[in-house]
């Protein structure tokens, strides 16, 4: 079985050359991907924050990884509804956050890492949003080199996390990902719903903020060319 670094290298090469990918779902059977995901997630304070259940990183073990993989192999894995809480924004308004269970976080990070490896090479070097080593500060550094610029346009789509269309998102992924089981797993995640004040609510659109595999990482599936 290939190790995680080899898998990511293969995905990066296919992404760089623009080739479609298949059999992504089978990659989710690889324990090394979960160990990599664990190494990235466990230092975060959120790893100890429970979702709709009491499960946190504190109960991590190889047995848990094996249980996730076994459920995936028999297509019995079921996402748990996220626990919705609200935090204050700088403007005083409230922002909803969806807190997944630890097992869901772990699997989401595995999926996110696979998607990132494939789509990252396809991005323009001028795209700074939600990419490794890039962000607001690197964007500002690039802007400093511009000359003759008279206008900067800033845009923000109100409540976009809550309104993203699930079908459109899956269609974008399906353009390059030729694996129905993998796409179905993500589609089921989008439709899992959320618990607010211990009341279950369905999700017909949008992606939860606060999880690992959220809208910003999925939007990496729309490469911006120079």
């Amino acid at each position: 079985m290939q190790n995680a670094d080899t898998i990511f290298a293969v995905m990066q090469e296919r992404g760089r050359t623009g080739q479609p990918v298949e059999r992504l779902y089978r990659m989710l059977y690889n324990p090394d991907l979960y160990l990599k995901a664990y190494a990235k997630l466990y230092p975060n304070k959120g790893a100890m924050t429970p979702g709709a259940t009491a499960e946190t990183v504190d109960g991590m073990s190889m047995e848990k990884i094996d249980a996730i993989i076994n459920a995936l192999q028999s297509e019995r894995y079921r996402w748990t509804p996220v626990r919705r809480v609200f935090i204050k924004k700088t403007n005083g308004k409230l922002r909803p956050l969806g807190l997944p269970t630890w097992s869901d976080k772990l699997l989401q990070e595995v999926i996110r890492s696979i998607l990132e490896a494939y789509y990252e090479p396809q991005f323009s070097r001028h795209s700074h949003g939600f990419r490794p080593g890039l962000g607001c500060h690197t964007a500002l550094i690039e802007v400093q080199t511009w000359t003759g610029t008279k206008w900067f346009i800033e845009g923000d789509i109100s409540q976009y996390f809550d309104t993203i269309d699930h079908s459109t998102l899956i269609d974008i992924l399906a353009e390059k990902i030729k694996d129905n089981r993998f796409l179905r797993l993500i589609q089921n995640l989008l439709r899992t719903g959320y618990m607010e004040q211990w009341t279950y609510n369905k999700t017909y659109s949008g992606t939860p903020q606060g999880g690992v595999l959220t809208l910003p990482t999925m939007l990496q599936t729309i490469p911006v060319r120079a």
Side-chain angles (χ1 to χ4, degrees):
M1 183 174 289
Q2 294 177 321
N3 62 33
D5 291 337
T6 300
I7 291 174
F8 294 151
V10 171
M11 293 296 293
Q12 288 168 358
E13 179 59 22
R14 294 192 72 85
R16 187 185 64 80
T17 56
Q19 300 178 67
V21 287
E22 302 175 348
R23 297 187 174 184
L24 295 190
Y25 192 87
R26 293 181 62 84
M27 293 182 184
L28 304 179
Y29 303 163
N30 192 320
D32 197 41
L33 290 173
Y34 295 84
L35 294 175
K36 283 275 189 181
Y38 168 70
K40 180 168 184 176
L41 294 178
Y42 89 86
N44 299 331
K45 292 181 179 179
M48 287 298 295
T49 303
T53 70
E55 181 193 24
T56 66
V57 67
D58 200 36
M60 182 61 183
S61 65
M62 284 304 301
E63 287 74 18
K64 187 177 291 291
I65 292 176
D66 290 340
I68 294 173
I69 292 174
N70 288 336
L72 288 168
Q73 288 175 330
S74 57
E75 298 189 47
R76 291 184 294 104
Y77 192 87
R78 297 294 180 268
W79 302 101
T80 302
V82 298
R83 177 168 67 93
R84 174 171 282 190
V85 298
F86 292 87
I87 61 171
K88 278 190 176 181
K89 299 169 66 174
T90 54
N91 59 9
K93 295 182 179 180
L94 295 178
R95 170 179 291 161
L97 287 182
L99 305 177
T101 63
W102 169 250
S103 290
D104 284 359
K105 283 181 184 178
L106 193 64
L107 179 54
Q108 286 182 36
E109 172 58 23
V110 171
I111 296 172
R112 188 207 63 79
S113 64
I114 292 172
L115 290 177
E116 180 180 89
Y118 178 67
Y119 287 108
E120 173 64 22
Q122 302 178 43
F123 269 70
S124 164
R125 62 183 180 84
H126 303 296
S127 176
H128 294 261
F130 302 101
R131 298 177 64 194
L134 299 175
C136 296
H137 289 93
T138 57
L140 289 172
I141 291 172
E142 179 172 342
V143 168
Q144 287 180 337
T145 65
W146 293 1
T147 58
T149 303
K150 294 184 178 180
W151 294 93
F152 290 90
I153 300 176
E154 178 184 5
D156 184 18
I157 302 176
S158 177
Q159 297 181 330
Y160 191 42
F161 273 91
D162 300 327
T163 58
I164 183 71
D165 184 86
H166 292 171
S167 296
T168 300
L169 190 54
I170 295 299
D171 287 346
I172 292 170
L173 288 168
E175 290 178 3
K176 291 294 183 70
I177 296 176
K178 309 304 179 182
D179 186 334
N180 288 333
R181 288 196 299 172
F182 187 84
L183 295 174
R184 189 161 58 245
L185 184 65
I186 294 179
Q187 190 171 51
N188 289 340
L189 169 63
L190 295 171
R191 295 176 176 175
T192 298
Y194 62 93
M195 299 290 292
E196 185 177 337
Q197 298 296 325
W198 300 110
T199 300
Y200 174 74
N201 297 270
K202 294 182 179 180
T203 46
Y204 299 101
S205 64
T207 67
Q209 298 184 61
V212 178
L213 188 64
T214 55
L215 175 62
T217 53
M218 284 192 178
L219 282 182
Q220 291 187 14
T221 61
I222 313 177
V224 179
R225 298 289 184 183

